């Protein structure tokens, strides 16, 4: 593999790890308890067996002192975080019906968060893949993370973390031009 291509993949991998950390921090700020299942957990990728592309990086739980009828206990939410420079290209490569069926069968509650440093105009750097059943053949789509009711992230929180994405990610690209 050419050194430039290798560096590009290493940078994308690093952006993916940073994206996971930012999303985790955002959920902690929203009041969730976050249990890591990925590389940083005590049991690395215990639930990730095989070459599956969509599996949880962490599980969200909202602590509730006492369940009340108007505020029932919520189910844990598994979250997978993906960095993609171009969300539209990523969605175009995926097969909507097949992916919805595959993920729904294995992880029906999975929330896939896509982090990008190049969002489409008017879109957030933090988007959630909409895996809800749609009409057959419908393309995959995303919604901005603060619009996903199950995760309850405040719209005012998202711009703060987007600022971090816009500050940190370009710096990684600058370092890619230098020789090791």
């Amino acid at each position: 593999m050419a050194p430039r291509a290798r560096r590009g993949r290493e940078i994308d991998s690093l952006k993916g790890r940073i994206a996971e950390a930012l999303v985790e921090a955002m959920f902690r700020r929203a009041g969730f308890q976050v249990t890591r299942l990925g590389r940083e957990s005590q049991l690395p990728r215990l639930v990730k067996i095989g070459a599956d592309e969509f599996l949880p990086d962490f599980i969200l739980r909202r602590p509730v002192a006492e369940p009340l009828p108007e505020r029932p206990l919520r189910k844990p939410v598994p979250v997978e975080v993906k960095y993609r420079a171009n969300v539209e290209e990523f969605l175009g490569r995926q097969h909507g019906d097949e992916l919805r069926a595959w993920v729904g069968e294995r992880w029906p509650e999975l929330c896939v968060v896509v982090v990008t440093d190049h969002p489409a105009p008017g879109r957030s750097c933090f988007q959630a893949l909409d895996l809800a059943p749609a009409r057959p053949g419908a393309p995959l789509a995303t919604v901005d993370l603060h619009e996903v009711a199950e995760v309850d992230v405040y719209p005012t929180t998202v711009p703060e973390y987007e600022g971090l994405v816009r500050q940190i990610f370009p710096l990684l690209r600058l370092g890619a031009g230098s020789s090791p």
Side-chain angles (χ1 to χ4, degrees), residues 32-104:
F32 285 97
Q33 291 177 337
V34 180
T35 303
R36 298 279 314 166
L37 298 174
R39 290 177 285 267
E40 286 77 28
S41 74
Q42 295 298 319
L43 302 167
R45 296 287 183 204
L46 179 63
V47 298
K48 284 195 176 188
I49 299 169
D52 293 329
E53 185 178 357
F54 291 91
L55 294 163
D57 290 307
F58 41 85
I59 303 288
L60 304 178
R61 290 185 317 271
R62 183 159 324 253
V64 177
E66 285 187 39
L68 302 171
E70 65 274 4
R71 196 175 77 198
L73 288 174
R74 294 184 181 174
K75 293 180 184 177
V77 179
V79 177
E80 165 73 10
V81 179
K82 299 225 171 270
Y83 164 76
R84 293 296 184 266
N86 187 321
V87 175
E88 289 74 23
E89 182 181 303
F90 168 67
L91 295 176
R93 285 190 309 225
Q94 302 298 322
H95 303 285
D97 293 334
E98 293 171 22
L99 181 62
R100 284 182 188 98
W102 186 89
V103 171

